[in-house]
Amino acid sequence: MSFGFFGIQFGFALQNTNTSRIFSTLGADIDSLSILWLAAPITGLLVQPVIGYLSDRTWHPTWGRRRPFFFIGSVLASIAMFLMPNSSALWMAVFVLWLMDASINVSMEPFRAFVGDKLDASQQTGGFAMQTFFIGCGGVVASLLPTIFTDYLGVSNVPVNGAIPDTVRYSFYIGGSVYFLAVLWTVLLSKEDAPSDMDAFLAERAANKGMLHAVKEILGGFFKMPKTMIQLALVQFFTWVAMFAMWVYTTPSVASGVFQSSDAQSSAYQDAGNWVGIMFAMYGGVSAIAAFILPMLAKMTSRKFVHLMCLVIGGFSLISIFAITNKHMLLLPMVGVGIAWASILTMPYAILAGALPANKMGYYLGLFNFFVVIPQIVAGVVLGAILKHFFANQSVKVLMLGGACMVLAGVLTLFVKDDVEKVIAK
C-alpha cells in the first residue's frame, strides 16, 4: 500500500532538485528564486486540507475511500511532469509548478491517511517508516536521472538557445511515467476497509453536504486541533524552513562555491545541477536505510528523542556545507540530512496519528500540512530579501540559516507530548 510513494517521490525529487535550475536557466535572478518557489507551498496550503476533508467523506464499493484521489492526482501530476521541462518562458514554468505541486498533493495526502486507516497504533511508526523507505528509493533514482543521461547515455546537458537541457527533459518524461505506474500499482492491488458503521457514515455525509459546510468544517478544525498537533506545529515550522532553504539554494550555492559559476547558461552551472542531483540522491538513499533503523531506535528510547537527535544531526550537516569546496566532500553532509529526512517523514506523523480520531484522519493530516507549507511560504517571502540585504547574495549562508532552524526544531521536540507511546510500551 506504500509503493505508490515511490512514484510520488519521483515527482517531488525531480521538482526539488531541478526547479531552481529550470528557473535560473529561463532567466530568474538568484534573489527571486524563493518567491518563484512559492507556487509549491501555496498549492499545498489550499489543496491538502480540502482533499483530506473530501477523502474522509468518500466511499465507493470498488474504488474505496483514498484510492480515487491517488488515481486522479497521479494522472494530473504525470501530465504536469511532461509539461514542466518544455516550458519556454519563466512564467510558464511557474504556472506548471503550480499545477504539478497541486496534483502531487492530491495524491500524497490520502497516502498519509491510508496508514492511519489500515494500521493500529503499534504498527503506525513502522507504516510511516515503510512510506519513508519508498520515498527514499524514489528520490535516489529520480535525482540521479540527469547524471545518468549525461554520463552514461551521452545526452546533452547544455541549454540550447535558453531552453531546458535534454537531460532534464528526459528525466521528467521518465518521472511522469513512473509516477503514474507506481501509484496505479497501489490503486489496483491495495484494499480498503469499509466504514465500520456504513449507515452512520452515509447519514453523516448526507447531513453535511454543501461547500459552505465544508469550508466551515475545514476552518473550524483549527480550533479543535489535538494538543499534540499544536506542539508539533512549532517543530514543523522550523524544520520546513530548513528544507525549503536547502531545496531552493543548494544549486546556486554549489554552482558558485564549488563549480565557480553563477551563469545558468554555462556548462559548469548545469554540471553543478547534476551534482546537486547526486547530493539529493545521497540523502534520499540514506533516508531509505534509516527508515528501518529509526523505529527500532524509537522502541529503545522514544520517538521524541529519535526526532530530536536526527534534526540536530541534519541541522549541523547543512551548516557544514559553507566550509566545503570539494564536490565529493559535499556528499558527507547529505548523510546527516538523510538521517534527518527519514525522521521528518516518519516521527511527526507517527506521533500525531495516534492522537487523531479515526473518522477524521484524512482531514487532520491534511490540516497538519499547514505546518509544512506555511513555513515554506514565510521562507519564500523573506529568504530572498535576507539573501540580498544581509548575505550579499551568498546563497550558502541561507543554507547555514536553514541548518540553524533545523537544530532549533530538534530542541523544540522536547516540548511535544507523546501519550500514545506510553500505551504502546505497555
Side-chain angles (χ1 to χ4, degrees):
M1 71 181 190
S2 294
F3 186 74
F5 248 119
F6 179 82
I8 289 174
Q9 191 58 24
F10 253 78
F12 270 128
L14 287 170
Q15 172 184 302
N16 294 338
T17 305
N18 296 286
T19 296
S20 287
R21 179 182 185 179
I22 290 171
F23 287 167
S24 296
T25 302
L26 295 174
D29 296 326
I30 188 171
D31 57 359
S32 67
L33 286 177
S34 63
I35 292 291
L36 297 173
W37 266 79
L38 282 177
I42 288 176
T43 53
L45 181 71
L46 299 174
V47 169
Q48 285 216 15
V50 174
I51 295 300
Y53 176 87
L54 293 176
S55 69
D56 282 340
R57 285 156 178 75
T58 297
W59 180 256
H60 188 277
T62 302
W63 285 89
R65 171 177 290 179
R66 315 294 181 187
R67 288 179 295 153
F69 299 91
F70 300 167
F71 181 75
I72 293 169
S74 70
V75 172
L76 295 176
S78 298
I79 293 171
M81 291 179 70
F82 276 83
L83 292 175
M84 183 66 169
N86 289 297
S87 301
S88 56
L90 185 57
W91 67 266
M92 181 179 176
V94 173
F95 174 78
V96 176
L97 179 62
W98 281 80
L99 173 61
M100 182 166 61
D101 201 84
S103 303
I104 293 173
N105 275 292
V106 170
S107 291
M108 186 184 72
E109 193 285 328
F111 262 99
R112 296 290 190 196
F114 205 23
V115 169
D117 292 342
K118 301 276 289 181
L119 305 179
D120 61 31
S122 66
Q123 297 174 309
Q124 285 170 356
T125 301
F128 287 115
M130 182 58 71
Q131 287 190 345
T132 300
F133 169 74
F134 281 113
I135 288 170
C137 292
V140 169
V141 180
S143 298
L144 288 175
L145 283 177
T147 298
I148 292 171
F149 278 116
T150 302
D151 294 351
Y152 298 99
L153 300 178
V155 177
S156 172
N157 192 47
V158 180
V160 178
N161 297 324
I164 309 302
D166 288 343
T167 52
V168 177
R169 288 198 301 115
Y170 297 159
S171 297
F172 271 82
Y173 296 161
I174 289 179
S177 302
V178 171
Y179 191 118
F180 176 75
L181 293 173
V183 174
L184 188 64
W185 177 280
T186 293
V187 170
L188 294 178
L189 298 184
S190 62
K191 302 296 181 183
E192 294 189 72
D193 300 323
S196 56
D197 189 337
M198 181 62 75
D199 292 336
F201 172 82
L202 294 175
E204 181 183 0
R205 188 172 66 176
N208 297 327
K209 284 185 176 180
M211 183 58 66
L212 183 61
H213 178 83
V215 172
K216 182 180 177 181
E217 282 280 302
I218 291 170
L219 296 179
F222 273 109
F223 305 101
K224 301 175 183 177
M225 290 188 296
K227 187 176 180 180
T228 300
M229 189 169 173
I230 297 172
Q231 294 166 340
L232 281 168
L234 270 179
V235 177
Q236 292 289 87
F237 182 89
F238 290 102
T239 297
W240 286 94
V241 167
M243 296 306 300
F244 186 82
M246 185 186 76
W247 291 330
V248 175
Y249 291 109
T250 299
T251 296
S253 297
V254 171
S256 61
V258 178
F259 286 79
Q260 308 302 314
S261 175
S262 57
D263 179 9
Q265 299 298 321
S266 68
S267 60
Y269 192 99
Q270 297 299 326
D271 288 342
N274 279 11
W275 191 255
V276 169
I278 294 174
M279 292 169 61
F280 284 14
M282 173 63 81
Y283 90 72
V286 170
S287 73
I289 297 170
F292 291 108
I293 300 172
L294 296 187
M296 293 187 288
L297 293 178
K299 286 184 178 179
M300 291 187 288
T301 56
S302 72
R303 295 190 290 208
K304 286 171 50 176
F305 177 78
V306 168
H307 198 48
L308 161 64
M309 294 307 299
C310 290
L311 290 180
V312 169
I313 291 170
F316 281 113
S317 297
L318 267 183
I319 292 171
S320 72
I321 291 176
F322 87 99
I324 299 175
T325 56
N326 179 283
K327 70 176 186 178
H328 297 286
M329 288 299 295
L330 284 171
L331 298 179
L332 186 57
M334 290 297 105
V335 174
V337 171
I339 292 170
W341 184 234
S343 189
I344 290 167
L345 295 175
T346 304
M347 294 305 162
Y349 295 98
I351 292 171
L352 180 63
L356 298 179
N359 66 331
K360 293 187 176 181
M361 184 73 67
Y363 165 67
Y364 274 115
L365 286 173
L367 189 64
F368 189 54
N369 191 61
F370 274 37
F371 308 118
V372 171
V373 298
I374 289 176
Q376 294 183 64
I377 293 171
V378 173
V381 171
V382 304
L383 287 183
I386 291 173
L387 174 66
K388 182 176 181 179
H389 298 293
F390 295 97
F391 294 160
N393 279 342
Q394 298 178 55
S395 53
V396 71
K397 292 184 178 179
V398 180
L399 297 185
M400 295 171 65
L401 177 63
C405 287
M406 189 174 285
V407 172
L408 177 57
V411 174
L412 290 170
T413 304
L414 293 171
F415 301 96
V416 176
K417 193 174 182 180
D418 187 7
D419 288 332
V420 176
E421 201 162 55
K422 297 176 183 177
V423 175
I424 294 172
K426 292 178 181 179

